[in-house]
Amino acid sequence: MLELLTVISLTIVGAIVPGPDFAVVLRNSLVGGRLAGIMTALGIGLALAVHVTYALAGIGLLVSQSIFLFNALKLIGAAYLVFLGVTMFRGAAREMPAEAGNGGMSPLKALRWGFLTNVTNPKATMFAMSVFLQVTSPETPLWTQIGYGVIMASGVFIWFVLVTVFFTLAPVRQSFMRMKLWMERTFGILLTLFGIGIPATTSSSRP
């Protein structure tokens, strides 16, 4: 029970802290509509399931102990976030349709954005691995660890669905439309800064 409560608590904290995932879900929800936001959230949940698989298979431990693999993953994630940031900034001036859901973002594209944003983030890999290393013990059954992974992935998915539902409410979206240009540019700058900051913040904390 203590392990379960710890996993739930860590998942909640990890989900609500603003980061690249939040920025992408928020942007896609406001621009592409509720379905785009939900599919982005699903992509993030699936990516977290990949990180959980790494942790269960011991691959996360291998990555954490290899300078080359860790740095390679770190740079790939940073480059992708910078790419997303530049894409958002450059597309900020595009006109947004009056009705949500007509933003030109297909569900598959939204899913891909969410998945790639999370799966290339080395901090997400280290988060999933640290949860299992810190919370579980050698006596914890495999099926229990898998259950923890399901809780983590589904919890993050549910949180971002709630974020999507809120920010696609008509009054919220209308407020966004009045300041779309600067908000999208802000999202783009934030994602670019996240990408630039990943190598700097993780190089000094390599396990």
Side-chain angles (χ1 to χ4, degrees):
M1 181 60 67
L2 179 60
E3 287 184 359
L4 177 61
L5 292 176
T6 303
V7 169
I8 293 174
S9 300
L10 290 174
T11 300
I12 293 173
V13 172
I16 65 177
V17 172
D21 294 341
F22 187 87
V24 169
V25 170
L26 189 56
R27 184 267 179 189
N28 288 356
S29 299
L30 292 169
V31 175
R34 184 166 294 179
L35 179 58
I38 292 174
M39 293 302 291
T40 304
L42 178 59
I44 292 171
L46 292 175
L48 188 56
V50 172
H51 295 305
V52 168
T53 302
Y54 287 164
L56 292 177
I59 298 176
L61 182 61
L62 173 63
V63 171
S64 70
Q65 297 300 318
S66 169
I67 295 177
F68 175 77
L69 289 177
F70 186 80
N71 286 338
L73 178 61
K74 182 171 59 179
L75 292 175
I76 291 173
Y80 183 71
L81 289 180
V82 170
F83 168 76
L84 284 184
V86 172
T87 300
M88 284 187 189
F89 189 91
R90 294 182 61 184
R94 287 199 306 265
E95 290 294 326
M96 192 166 69
E99 295 296 327
N102 297 318
M105 172 169 280
S106 69
L108 182 60
K109 182 178 180 180
L111 178 74
R112 185 170 64 248
W113 271 50
F115 181 82
L116 291 177
T117 297
N118 186 274
V119 82
T120 60
N121 188 349
K123 289 186 176 181
T125 302
M126 302 311 296
F127 171 75
M129 188 184 69
S130 63
V131 168
F132 283 94
L133 289 178
Q134 301 295 332
V135 175
T136 63
S137 66
E139 290 75 29
T140 304
L142 178 60
W143 66 266
T144 301
Q145 297 185 47
I146 294 174
Y148 292 159
V150 171
I151 290 173
M152 292 170 63
S154 59
V156 169
F157 169 69
I158 291 171
W159 163 251
F160 284 123
V161 167
L162 294 176
V163 170
T164 296
V165 170
F166 174 76
F167 282 100
T168 51
L169 294 174
V172 178
R173 190 172 187 276
Q174 289 170 4
S175 298
F176 169 77
M177 289 181 69
R178 290 193 291 268
M179 47 186 177
K180 172 184 179 294
L181 177 65
W182 294 110
M183 285 194 67
E184 276 217 75
R185 285 182 174 175
T186 299
F187 293 156
I189 292 172
L190 286 176
L191 279 181
T192 301
L193 291 177
F194 280 130
I196 295 173
I198 283 177
T201 57
T202 56
S203 60
S204 58
S205 60
R206 189 189 68 82

